Amino acid sequence: MDRQLFETDHLAFRDSVRTFIERHVAKDYERWEAEGMVDRLLWNRAGDGGLLGTSVPEEHGGGGVRDFRFNAVLVEEFATANMLSLSSGFGLHNDVVAPYLVDLGTPEQHARWLPGFCSGDLVTAIAMTEPDAGSDLKGVRTTARRDGDSYVVNGTKTFITNGIHAGLVIVVAKTDPQAGARGMSLLVVERGMPGFERGRRLSKAGMHAQDTAELVFDNVRVPVENLLGRENGAFGHLMNNLPQERLSIAVVAGAAARAALDWT
């Protein structure tokens, strides 16, 4: 069926993604699947190819176009090529994390994080799921206690996409444990902060090249400047942004199913 959804710019972008896969992915993908992780350099190549941050303003190195169809093209092409590990990793970066940084970030945060986000120098993740809390987000136990000009973060997250490579992790934490869903905040934890450690890289039934990890926060001091959005406002921020993540999952599933039918 000929779809009418995409316009000339989207078709040109699709050609760019296909070329990127042929040049930088196809020959190494089986090795990455065996090793359980893509080469870190691939993220920089994706940035150079314009695959990252299409919705980020141009002044910070992005494409400057707030159009989910570009995100859909990207993940569709990786799914069609039977490279779901990359549709997940790049999709998480573009579809899930970007709206939080662009919509909730301050000008200072934009200047600090968005250029690296678009170049691939900064791989991102979002840490919601915990060993005892998944879809029930108000049940998270990770805490962030205010102490002067910092939050002290303690807790464990699991099943975190891009967890090993990530240099920036948006962490969902309880800043007011007595307030339930209205007591959570989003804090940006950066690689190198003392007490922030990677746990196991998790084995999975599929998407082996997608690094999925446990993250551990042991008295990590996060400066108040790394608060994203409103203090105690995380639940509302999450509810605003999670629908796009779910839509992206549906796009990947549809593309993978179509490809499987074509292969058979």
Side-chain angles (χ1 to χ4, degrees), residues 164-212:
I164 300 297
H165 280 321
L168 180 156
V169 182
I170 299 174
V171 178
V172 179
K174 288 282 184 68
T175 39
D176 184 354
Q178 308 306 315
R182 299 191 179 188
M184 301 189 300
S185 300
L186 302 177
L187 295 171
V188 176
V189 177
E190 300 176 74
R191 181 182 294 275
M193 288 183 171
F196 173 34
E197 302 291 342
R198 324 284 161 151
R200 295 178 298 154
R201 188 175 71 231
L202 301 173
S203 299
K204 306 181 294 296
M207 296 197 294
H208 301 294
Q210 170 52 59
D211 69 281
T212 308

Side-chain angles (χ1 to χ4, degrees), residues 103-232:
D103 295 342
L104 301 177
T106 65
E108 185 275 333
Q109 290 172 338
H110 285 172
R112 184 151 49 109
W113 295 324
L114 291 181
F117 180 98
C118 297
S119 69
D121 288 337
L122 194 61
V123 179
T124 63
I126 185 165
M128 294 182 276
T129 305
E130 299 182 357
D132 297 313
S135 58
D136 182 19
L137 286 174
K138 66 178 180 294
V140 300
R141 297 184 180 180
T142 297
T143 59
R145 176 179 54 83
R146 181 69 181 265
D147 181 29
D149 59 359
S150 299
Y151 294 92
V152 180
V153 179
N154 283 281
T156 302
K157 301 290 185 176
T158 192
F159 302 128
I160 305 306
T161 301
N162 295 342
I164 300 297
H165 280 321
L168 180 156
V169 182
I170 299 174
V171 178
V172 179
K174 288 282 184 68
T175 39
D176 184 354
Q178 308 306 315
R182 299 191 179 188
M184 301 189 300
S185 300
L186 302 177
L187 295 171
V188 176
V189 177
E190 300 176 74
R191 181 182 294 275
M193 288 183 171
F196 173 34
E197 302 291 342
R198 324 284 161 151
R200 295 178 298 154
R201 188 175 71 231
L202 301 173
S203 299
K204 306 181 294 296
M207 296 197 294
H208 301 294
Q210 170 52 59
D211 69 281
T212 308
E214 294 176 331
L215 303 180
V216 179
F217 308 93
D218 183 9
N219 288 318
V220 181
R221 298 192 72 89
V222 180
V224 295
E225 291 81 5
N226 281 28
L227 173 69
L228 197 59
R230 304 186 312 278
E231 184 176 77
N232 298 324

